[in-house]
């Protein structure tokens, strides 16, 4: 074995082995003249420039989104080149989260959740724009457009933001009962995802004011304050998003901020003269060819469809709520919002049902 290892190392050191292939496509990389000297052509004499828009691209759940990306050479280069294009989804710290698509010419391959939903926009020469169809909640985030020409590799980033609604959530068993993983699951169960900081900041800028701390997608804990007050950080602090910083994802417990976008279906209200128990409400929705609505569904209908109903109704988590788009007497506070009666252990109410299109 030691002799075999020594022979292998000598062969590698001799330079007689073939160049290592790492998945990239190079133009005229090796030029062996047969004299033992190899010439390596690193660049083609032109600078590769990749450009994406500075402003975010906004979309909605279920819609299509185009992430613009173009490239050029300085000075301008004529003739066809074997350009490789790669799109990746990034984390907030700009490290890679997942591969989205790779393409060479008209041949491309999409990966994971993007398979069947992502392709390149063939709008013209030097275009590398990405089209994502049937946009989903988890598509929100940063994307890197990477263009590779031989050994030249340039990239830029596009920010895809879903228009949506952030809502605070706590489970039936009360305030501050969720560790991070339970918080993620609670949002999914309500037809939503755990919110990011940028989504919470956007909601705060639109008026969200909430004094209970909640988890965000990066494992930090925050709460948004528009009107400073003593129980919420103090009277003398400026409005803003208060932060507890990163918390232990298993041991620490808080509420959670969830994010939902536009509905893929419709919400309607059912009522009976004597009202419905929670189990009767679930059955009534099933009889109507629907399911009992989740909290995320109700917030989305209130935000995007202007759903306004002064009658309280059951939701899937056992809570009773009602959406008010136009505040009025006998319908709660003077601000628009989704009102909550909490999680009544008994009582008879109407029900909000949800039906997919």
């Amino acid at each position: 074995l030691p002799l075999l290892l020594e022979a292998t190392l000598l062969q590698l050191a001799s330079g007689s082995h073939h160049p290592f292939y790492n998945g990239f496509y190079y133009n005229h990389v090796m030029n062996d003249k047969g004299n033992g000297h190899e010439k390596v052509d690193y660049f083609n004499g032109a600078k590769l420039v990749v450009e994406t828009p500075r402003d975010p691209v906004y979309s909605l759940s279920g819609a299509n989104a185009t992430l613009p990306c173009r490239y050029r050479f300085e000075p301008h280069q004529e003739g066809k080149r074997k350009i490789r294009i790669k799109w990746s989804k990034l984390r907030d710290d700009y490290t890679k989260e997942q591969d989205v698509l790779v393409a060479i010419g008209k041949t491309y391959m999409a990966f994971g959740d993007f398979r069947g939903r992502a392709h390149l926009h063939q709008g013209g020469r030097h275009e590398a724009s990405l089209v994502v169809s049937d946009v989903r909640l988890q598509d929100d985030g940063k994307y890197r457009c990477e263009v590779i020409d031989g050994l030249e590799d340039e990239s830029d980033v596009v920010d895809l933001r879903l228009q949506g609604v952030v809502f605070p959530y706590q489970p039936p068993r009360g305030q501050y009962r969720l560790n991070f993983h339970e918080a993620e699951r609670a949002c999914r169960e309500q037809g939503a995802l755990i919110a990011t900081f940028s989504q919470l900041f956007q909601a705060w800028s639109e008026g969200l004011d909430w004094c209970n701390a909640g988890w965000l997608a990066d494992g930090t804990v925050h709460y948004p304050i528009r009107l400073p007050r003593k129980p919420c950080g103090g009277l003398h602090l400026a409005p803003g998003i208060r932060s507890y910083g990163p918390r232990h994802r298993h041991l620490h417990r808080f509420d959670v901020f969830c994010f939902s976008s536009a509905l893929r279906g419709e919400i309607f209200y059912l009522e009976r003269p004597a009202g419905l128990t929670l189990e009767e409400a679930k059955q009534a929705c099933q009889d109507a060819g629907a399911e009992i609505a989740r909290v995320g569904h109700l917030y989305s209908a209130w935000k995007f469809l202007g759903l306004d109903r002064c009658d309280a109704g059951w939701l899937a988590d056992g809570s009773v709520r009602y959406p008010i788009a136009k505040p009025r007497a006998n319908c709660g506070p003077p601000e628009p919002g989704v009102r909550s009666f909490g999680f009544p252990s008994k009582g008879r109410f109407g029900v909000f049902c949800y039906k997919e299109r």
Side-chain angles (χ1 to χ4, degrees):
L1 182 60
L3 290 175
L4 178 61
L5 178 60
E6 183 179 358
T8 303
L9 292 174
L10 286 173
Q11 183 182 9
L12 291 175
S14 69
S16 61
H17 60 285
H18 293 291
F20 176 66
Y21 173 71
N22 66 357
F24 289 87
Y25 289 82
Y26 299 139
N27 291 329
H28 309 295
V29 175
M30 307 305 293
N31 183 16
D32 192 346
K33 299 292 186 181
N35 57 7
H37 299 286
E38 293 175 340
K39 178 183 176 183
V40 181
D41 294 333
Y42 290 98
F43 302 108
N44 57 32
K47 179 183 177 183
L48 176 62
V49 179
V50 176
E51 294 178 329
T52 61
R54 299 300 93 194
D55 295 331
V57 174
Y58 289 91
S59 188
L60 291 168
S61 179
N64 296 339
T66 299
L67 307 185
C69 180
R70 293 188 62 83
Y71 64 93
R72 68 178 189 274
F73 295 96
E74 295 179 351
H76 176 70
Q77 296 284 300
E78 294 291 346
K80 294 183 177 180
R81 311 186 65 83
K82 188 173 284 187
I83 300 296
R84 183 173 186 257
I85 296 168
K86 181 177 180 180
W87 280 90
S88 305
K89 191 172 188 294
L90 306 178
R91 299 181 180 89
D92 286 342
D93 62 0
Y94 288 85
T95 58
K96 189 174 77 169
E97 178 179 328
Q98 64 184 123
D99 291 326
V100 175
L101 177 144
V102 293
I104 301 175
K106 295 183 178 180
T107 303
Y108 72 91
M109 177 179 292
F111 302 95
D113 293 338
F114 293 95
R115 189 174 288 118
R117 296 193 301 123
H119 66 273
L120 290 183
H121 178 60
Q122 304 292 339
R125 194 178 177 193
H126 293 178
E127 182 165 14
S129 302
L130 178 71
V131 179
V132 180
S133 59
D134 188 22
V135 170
R136 301 171 183 174
L137 286 175
Q138 59 267 31
D139 294 343
D140 183 279
K142 298 178 177 64
Y143 292 77
R144 175 181 288 128
C145 173
E146 185 176 4
V147 180
I148 302 156
D149 174 37
L151 291 182
E152 290 191 79
D153 184 346
E154 295 295 334
S155 65
D156 208 345
V157 174
V158 188
D159 197 0
L160 173 62
R161 295 185 189 174
L162 266 66
Q163 294 173 309
V165 56
V166 171
F167 59 93
Y169 186 79
Q170 59 181 232
R173 58 186 189 272
Q175 183 186 23
Y176 293 174
R177 298 296 184 92
L178 301 169
N179 67 28
F180 176 79
H181 305 289
E182 292 167 340
E184 283 188 310
R185 184 166 61 250
C187 288
R188 288 196 301 269
E189 289 172 349
Q190 299 315 311
L193 290 178
I194 188 169
T196 65
F197 180 84
S198 63
Q199 290 166 346
L200 182 66
F201 183 86
Q202 180 67 29
W204 170 80
S205 68
E206 294 173 357
L208 181 62
D209 183 287
W210 195 257
C211 199
N212 292 346
W215 290 103
L216 294 180
D218 61 357
T220 58
V221 174
H222 302 264
Y223 61 101
I225 296 298
R226 298 282 296 184
L227 179 63
R229 47 204 186 273
K230 190 174 181 179
C232 305
L235 287 169
H236 304 295
L237 288 178
I241 296 180
R242 314 284 190 245
S243 175
Y244 285 14
R247 299 284 92 181
H248 195 290
R249 298 189 181 205
H250 292 284
L251 299 181
H252 292 148
R253 295 182 176 273
F254 297 93
D255 294 342
V256 63
F257 290 99
C258 302
F259 175 81
S260 184
S261 187
L263 289 175
R264 297 167 179 265
E266 60 176 338
I267 279 190
F268 56 94
Y269 185 80
L270 292 179
E271 59 183 331
R272 299 288 184 270
L276 298 160
T277 66
L278 176 58
E279 293 307 314
E280 290 170 343
K282 292 178 180 179
Q283 187 60 52
C285 289
Q286 289 181 15
D287 293 342
E291 62 177 301
I292 188 170
R294 306 178 191 186
V295 178
H297 295 154
L298 190 64
Y299 269 94
S300 294
W302 165 75
K303 172 79 171 181
F304 294 103
L305 303 178
L307 185 63
D308 185 288
R309 181 110 195 180
C310 202
D311 302 297
W314 290 106
L315 294 176
D317 65 340
S319 63
V320 173
R321 307 174 194 247
Y322 62 100
I324 296 297
K326 299 177 181 178
R328 51 199 182 275
N330 303 320
C331 294
E335 300 85 16
V338 174
R339 323 289 194 219
S340 175
F341 283 2
F343 298 86
S345 58
K346 56 183 179 180
R348 304 181 73 87
F349 304 91
V351 60
F352 290 97
C353 302
Y354 175 70
K355 187 174 184 179
E356 284 276 1
R357 290 193 184 94

